[in-house]
Amino acid sequence: SSSSSSSSSSSSSSSSLSWSPQTYIGDILVAVNPFRQLPIYTPEVQRDYRRRTKLERAPHVYAVADAAYHYMLETSENQCCLISGESGAGKTESAKYVIKQIISLCNSEGMEAGRKVEQQILAVNPLLEAFGNAQTIMNDNSSRFGKYTELIFDGYGQGSKSRSWKKKKKKKKKNKRWRKREREREREREREKKREREKVMNSLSLS
């Protein structure tokens, strides 16, 4: 799992930084968005995190991606990276870096299909963001939806295709249920008012 951020730190770039924007809490990577570019996402840094254990290198989103990819190959089990955080924390950028590292791992094995998957992801991201982003206090281009991206590999770890969804359906259902409950409450209030009026009219007629 990976917490939200668009910046990280690695041993190969630690000399240029006096602080690290990322750390581990167990298996969770916790990161802070520095709101500025840091020289820690270069191809050299990507290569430096390949086949490295968590203790061999400083905390980095590339390490999370590398661990998920190789564990998938070793166990033949599906892997999931969950990225969460408040608006402006860097969730979208973190997701891009995870995918970037996984595609880099495919390409490092001479897998040409990895480039095809990368192009598919690059093509679909602007489309999703165009329909679901908005300006907030923390972020001028905030994703107002949950996004699920699935990378599909064969038994050799070769990327074959990707699929992405905007996850708003559940929220819509919840809003629909809420509106239905509100309509029921409103009807019940109207029925209660009607009963009160009938009581008043009955009391007046008796008197």
Side-chain angles (χ1 to χ4, degrees), residues 75-91:
T75 63
S76 298
E77 295 179 354
N78 295 333
Q79 302 297 307
C80 178
C81 294
L82 177 64
I83 303 174
S84 63
E86 64 179 7
S87 177
K91 300 180 293 296

Side-chain angles (χ1 to χ4, degrees), residues 105-197:
L105 292 168
C106 291
N107 293 339
S108 69
E109 302 295 333
M111 299 174 181
E112 187 65 29
R115 296 183 179 89
K116 180 181 177 181
V117 175
E118 184 177 20
Q119 291 303 317
Q120 291 176 346
I121 296 167
L122 292 175
V124 75
N125 270 335
L127 181 63
L128 291 175
E129 293 176 4
F131 286 97
N133 286 16
Q135 186 179 36
T136 65
I137 297 175
M138 296 294 293
N139 187 3
D140 289 338
N141 193 38
S142 178
S143 301
R144 310 310 298 159
F145 57 89
K147 184 164 61 176
Y148 177 80
T149 300
E150 183 179 32
L151 305 179
I152 303 172
F153 300 88
D154 61 17
Y156 301 98
Q158 181 172 351
S160 58
K161 60 181 178 179
S162 69
R163 297 184 293 192
S164 297
W165 294 271
K166 285 171 61 179
K167 301 293 283 185
K168 289 188 70 174
K169 189 173 182 181
K170 185 175 181 180
K171 186 176 181 181
K172 287 182 179 178
K173 285 184 177 179
K174 181 179 178 181
N175 289 338
K176 186 176 180 180
R177 289 195 299 268
W178 180 83
R179 288 193 295 268
K180 183 178 180 180
R181 288 196 298 269
E182 284 298 304
R183 287 194 296 267
E184 288 293 334
R185 293 190 187 101
E186 185 63 28
R187 285 194 288 266
E188 181 60 33
R189 285 192 290 266
E190 290 297 326
R191 287 193 290 266
E192 184 65 28
K193 290 179 182 178
K194 184 178 179 180
R195 287 192 292 268
E196 290 295 329
R197 285 195 297 268

Side-chain angles (χ1 to χ4, degrees), residues 7-10 13 16-17 21-22 38-42 45 60 62:
S7 64
S8 310
S9 175
S10 73
S13 60
S16 61
L17 294 175
Q22 297 183 343
L38 297 178
I40 54 178
Y41 300 113
T42 63
V45 177
H60 200 294
Y62 287 162

Side-chain angles (χ1 to χ4, degrees), residues 5-36:
S5 175
S6 62
S7 64
S8 310
S9 175
S10 73
S11 60
S12 62
S13 60
S14 59
S15 59
S16 61
L17 294 175
S18 58
W19 57 280
S20 173
Q22 297 183 343
T23 188
Y24 288 122
I25 298 180
D27 291 332
I28 301 173
L29 177 70
V30 180
V32 177
N33 187 348
F35 293 99
R36 61 186 176 92

